């Protein structure tokens, strides 16, 4: 599953992410958090593809990745971000949460 949580209210966006995490990984043992301001799409793909610690799936929460790489012409390590590749890399039992409370709409480059 892929969840995109946008603003404009950061507190509401974070509350929604907590709800998603509790539903998908109640114990929290298979959840990881990545800083979208510095992580590459490849690193996110590797993290979401890894096996969960105590369950079949994982929950990976990445904050601010869309704001950084969602603009037309954005670069990820010198390359155009591979959004379709990221979305295809999410295994069925896992959940990728893209949290971007600073955005109010999904950029066209990500759609």
């Amino acid at each position: 599953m892929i969840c995109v949580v946008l603003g404009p209210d950061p507190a509401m966006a974070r509350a929604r992410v907590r709800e998603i995490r509790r539903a998908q990984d109640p114990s929290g043992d298979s959840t990881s958090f990545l800083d979208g301001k510095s992580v590459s799409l490849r690193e996110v793909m590797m993290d979401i593809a890894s096996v969960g610690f105590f369950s079949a799936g994982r929950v990976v929460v990445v904050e601010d990745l869309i704001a950084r790489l969602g603009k037309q012409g954005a670069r990820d390590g010198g390359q155009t971000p591979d959004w379709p590749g990221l979305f295809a890399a999410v295994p069925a039992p896992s959940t990728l949460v893209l949290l971007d409370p600073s955005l109010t709409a999904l950029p066209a480059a990500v759609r």
Side-chain angles (χ1 to χ4, degrees), residues 13-83:
R14 285 183 176 77
R16 180 65 184 128
V17 170
R18 279 192 299 275
E19 292 170 8
I20 294 167
R21 285 181 33 226
R22 270 187 291 223
Q24 299 302 315
D25 182 21
S27 69
D29 294 330
S30 293
T31 298
S32 59
F33 298 88
L34 301 174
D35 183 1
K37 293 177 183 170
S38 60
V39 72
S40 70
L41 282 181
R42 183 165 186 74
E43 291 169 314
V44 176
M45 286 181 209
M46 290 181 356
D47 205 41
I48 194 67
S50 65
V51 178
F53 297 113
F54 299 107
S55 64
R58 298 183 50 76
V59 176
V60 177
V61 180
V62 188
E63 187 169 351
D64 297 326
L65 184 69
I66 298 173
R68 183 176 64 110
L69 296 178
K71 301 179 241 50
Q72 290 286 23
R75 295 282 177 218
D76 181 28
Q79 307 230 348
T80 302
D82 182 14
W83 294 105

